[in-house]
Amino acid sequence: MCERTLLIVKPDAVGKNLIGEILRRIEAKGFKIVGMKMHHLSKVEAETFYAVHKGRPFYEPLIQFMIEGPCVPVVVEGDNVIEGIRELNGTTDPAIADEGTIRKDFAENTRRNAVHASDSAESAAKEIEFFFPEYELI
Ligand code: CMP
């Protein structure tokens, strides 16, 4: 089924010049990039985006990390892309991520983990809308 998802190249990966390598892996999997920008999140924006995690012990440091520099939100389209991008990223904790995944190769730890991706069709719709008005998508 053709779907869309939101991937974010997080500030740690942007700072290490990994934008191109991460986009290359997405395209090499056969997925299509249909929207992209560079954006430095404000504190309010980061808190809104991650509101679902409010109250968790990792929430405040996560917000500080996400506002430390620019990120690159990307809308990706393809068959079963929500699951496909999550597989490409690997699990949240790089120590247990599969070989060859983005997080295994580039994440520093569970917080500074290089990428974010939507976890369901419902969150993909919300997260895409958060960063992109319809007219910015092809
Ligand atoms: P992400 O996929 O963007 O979704 C929520 C983020 O919170 C996650 O990636 C990590 O950056 C961070 N996170 C999740 N769990 C933990 C944790 N146990 N410790 C630190 N950071 C976490």
Side-chain angles (χ1 to χ4, degrees):
M1 187 182 49
C2 191
E3 305 173 324
R4 287 183 169 189
T5 193
L6 182 86
L7 173 134
I8 304 175
V9 183
K10 292 185 176 181
D12 59 330
V14 173
K16 291 180 202 157
N17 294 350
L18 289 168
I19 300 168
E21 173 59 18
I22 291 169
L23 298 181
R24 188 195 66 73
R25 292 185 185 203
I26 293 168
E27 291 189 315
K29 261 233 171 185
F31 296 132
K32 192 146 196 71
I33 291 168
V34 296
M36 184 166 64
K37 64 177 69 169
M38 183 173 270
H39 182 74
H40 196 150
L41 286 165
S42 69
K43 189 158 190 283
V44 169
E45 285 174 327
E47 287 170 346
T48 305
F49 187 82
Y50 281 116
V52 67
H53 295 303
K54 196 169 168 58
R56 297 219 181 148
F58 62 80
Y59 176 76
E60 284 301 336
L62 169 65
I63 299 305
Q64 288 309 313
F65 161 52
M66 289 302 293
I67 67 174
E68 74 177 30
C71 66
V72 177
V74 183
V75 181
V76 190
E77 184 179 88
D79 283 341
N80 297 315
V81 73
I82 296 172
E83 187 54 31
I85 292 293
R86 291 181 72 78
E87 277 174 16
L88 199 65
N89 286 355
T91 195
T92 307
D93 180 355
I96 55 168
D98 287 343
E99 291 297 328
T101 60
I102 291 170
R103 284 169 170 162
K104 182 72 179 183
D105 292 345
F106 304 125
E108 290 168 37
N109 53 45
T110 307
R111 176 180 319 121
R112 303 178 68 83
N113 62 356
V115 279
H116 164 85
S118 311
D119 63 5
S120 65
E122 192 189 9
S123 57
K126 278 192 205 144
E127 292 178 358
I128 291 169
E129 198 181 21
F130 181 88
F131 284 104
F132 296 91
E134 189 60 41
Y135 66 83
E136 289 185 10
L137 303 175
I138 59 166

